[in-house]
């Protein structure tokens, strides 16, 4: 199913009492998001054993950043159960909704759940860190807790990753970034989350200061485009135990190709995408049914995401 790109115009005549439960991802742009096929495949699978899910639908909406504040009210009025937010809305929504403790240090939310207990009607979670940790555990057999981490990048995704590393009690955190200011800010944030864990910044010409790095996590966008530089030369580092690249499209970045050539276990960001989505779905199901034990079909979600990325 190729879910059409909707705009806020569609909410004006939204069928409020059609007996369906509506979910959506909001972004600008949004047409390349694989979340709609991924979630609708999961809902179809869940509907095979629980008829309630046959009426759940996940849509995509292109929403201009200026429109987000009033859009949140409009989705509420139209009866939506939940929303996923992607660039640039994760940060904009942060100030507009009630934010869970876990998401507060990140400064961004990617999952909203309708909740009448809060004046603005939504509660905001960030499931990206969970998705990252779960994918690393599942695909690389490494727990972030207790690991030495070399985090590449200091943007929004790196922020979520750094908070996750500190909350999960990594052994140490090194943040490597091209621009010093963003790097220093991220190190300060990491220290504020857990001052007991050693955290420090590294500039690209400073690699000799990295004593030991068991897990390299790429949270830069270097690798999205074919002519992008590699964010770090793995051969210039103490040999890592594994490399996780948050990028999933392309499926193999230069960084991952080098890890493969060096025989270092490595994985791309698809697992993170799938698991953050699975966690969002869990939040919505729990809000609607009170059940926290519904098994989310992550394999089905992964297969649907892979098909969508392959253009099918
Ligand atoms: P931002 O724009 O916020 O940050 C980009 C980061 O990449 C900055 O640290 C920037 O460094 C660095 N960077 C950009 N270009 C280069 C380069 N040529 N060389 C070295 N460093 C570079 O982006 P996000 O944090 O939102 O996203 C980062 C990546 O994470 C993206 O590829 C995105 O697709 C991926 N992602 C994956 C997810 C998943 O579910 N798998 C979820 C979220 C994001 P500087 O500060 O010096 O500019």
């Amino acid at each position: 199913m190729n879910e059409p790109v909707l705009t806020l115009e569609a909410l004006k005549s939204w069928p409020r009492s059609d007996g369906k439960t509506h979910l959506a991802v909001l972004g600008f742009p949004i047409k390349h998001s694989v979340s709609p096929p991924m979630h609708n495949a999961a809902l179809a699978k869940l509907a095979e054993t629980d008829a309630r899910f046959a009426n759940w639908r996940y849509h995509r909406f292109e929403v201009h950043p200026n429109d987000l504040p009033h859009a949140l009210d409009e989705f509420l009025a139209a009866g939506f159960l939940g929303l996923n937010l992607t660039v640039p809305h994760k940060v904009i929504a942060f100030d507009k909704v009630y934010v869970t403790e876990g998401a507060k240090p990140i400064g961004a939310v990617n999952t909203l759940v309708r909740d009448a207990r809060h004046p603005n009607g939504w509660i905001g979670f960030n499931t990206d860190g969970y998705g990252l940790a779960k994918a690393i555990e599942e695909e690389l057999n490494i727990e972030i807790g207790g690991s030495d981490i070399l985090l590449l990048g200091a943007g929004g995704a790196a922020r979520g990753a750094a908070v996750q590393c500190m909350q999960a009690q990594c052994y140490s955190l090194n943040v490597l970034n091209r621009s010093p200011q963003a790097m220093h800010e991220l190190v300060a944030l990491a220290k504020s989350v857990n001052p007991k864990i050693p955290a420090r910044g590294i500039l690209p010409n400073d690699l000799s200061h990295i004593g030991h790095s068991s897990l390299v996590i790429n949270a830069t966008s270097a690798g999205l485009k074919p002519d992008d530089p590699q964010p770090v030369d793995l051969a210039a580092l103490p040999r890592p135990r594994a490399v996780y690249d948050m990028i999933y499209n392309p499926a193999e970045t230069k960084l991952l190709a080098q890890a493969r050539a060096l025989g270092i276990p490595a994985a791309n960001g698809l697992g993170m995408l799938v698991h953050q989505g699975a966690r969002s779905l869990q939040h919505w199901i729990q809000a609607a049914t009170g059940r926290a034990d519904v098994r989310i079909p992550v394999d089905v979600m992964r297969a649907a995401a892979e098909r969508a990325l392959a253009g099918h």
Side-chain angles (χ1 to χ4, degrees):
M1 196 188 338
N2 195 5
E3 296 78 3
V5 174
L6 302 175
T7 65
L8 292 179
E9 211 37 48
L11 292 182
K12 293 191 176 141
S13 52
W14 199 257
R16 243 213 94 122
S17 43
D18 62 354
K20 292 194 171 74
T21 296
H22 295 287
L23 302 163
V25 59
L26 278 49
F28 192 82
I30 197 60
K31 76 170 187 278
H32 297 298
S33 170
V34 300
S35 290
M38 188 171 84
H39 279 280
N40 282 323
L43 293 171
K45 183 69 185 171
L46 289 169
E48 289 174 11
T49 50
D50 186 336
R52 277 178 300 186
F53 293 110
N55 284 325
W56 287 43
R57 298 281 181 277
Y58 188 106
H59 310 274
R60 72 174 85 223
F61 279 78
E62 186 165 82
V63 176
H64 190 277
N66 294 343
D67 292 330
L68 188 75
H70 68 85
L72 293 179
D73 293 337
E74 288 167 30
F75 280 100
L76 209 56
F80 277 63
L81 167 65
L83 301 172
N84 272 147
L85 304 171
T86 186
V87 177
H89 299 313
K90 292 184 194 189
V91 176
I92 305 173
F94 183 81
D95 294 329
K96 312 277 178 250
V97 301
Y98 175 84
V99 175
T100 53
E101 281 306 311
K104 275 187 187 156
I106 303 171
V109 286
N110 74 335
T111 304
L112 302 188
V113 182
R114 185 187 187 83
D115 192 330
R117 287 171 301 176
H118 301 295
N120 42 27
W122 297 107
I123 179 165
F125 298 83
N126 196 314
T127 67
D128 282 336
Y130 165 84
L132 174 70
K134 185 81 186 159
I136 288 173
E137 218 176 288
E138 199 172 83
E139 295 174 58
L140 299 172
N141 203 19
I142 291 181
E143 303 265 347
I144 285 181
S147 292
D148 290 298
I149 310 285
L150 173 60
L151 179 62
L152 312 179
R159 206 176 157 89
V163 170
Q164 180 68 26
C165 290
M166 298 316 256
Q167 287 174 341
Q169 316 237 9
C170 64
Y171 193 76
S172 69
L173 178 71
N174 280 325
V175 176
L176 173 65
N177 197 55
R178 197 174 53 170
S179 320
Q181 191 180 336
M183 181 264 280
H184 289 306
E185 282 170 11
L186 186 51
V187 171
L189 171 74
K191 286 184 171 161
S192 75
V193 174
N194 193 336
K196 293 195 187 121
I197 298 174
R200 62 180 187 154
I202 312 262
L203 289 169
N205 57 2
D206 242 10
L207 294 185
S208 60
H209 289 96
I210 302 174
H212 184 68
S213 60
S214 57
L215 176 62
V216 174
I217 300 174
N218 179 35
T220 74
S221 45
L224 283 175
K225 292 188 239 96
D227 52 355
D228 278 348
Q230 209 174 299
V232 77
D233 176 8
L234 296 171
L237 301 176
R239 186 181 172 86
R241 262 178 77 197
V243 176
Y244 192 83
D245 196 333
M246 286 195 194
I247 295 176
Y248 52 84
N249 191 16
E252 186 173 88
T253 56
K254 286 177 189 157
L255 184 73
L256 290 181
Q258 190 190 23
R260 188 161 50 82
L262 293 171
I264 300 169
N268 72 19
L270 191 62
M272 173 178 175
L273 177 79
V274 170
H275 284 293
Q276 63 75 30
R279 187 64 143 201
S280 299
L281 192 49
Q282 238 164 14
H283 284 307
W284 297 321
I285 292 175
Q286 188 168 359
T289 68
R291 289 184 55 192
D293 60 343
V294 173
R295 211 191 127 267
I296 307 297
V298 283
D299 295 349
V300 170
M301 294 176 83
R302 178 182 273 272
E306 277 168 352
R307 274 196 307 276
L309 286 169
H312 303 305

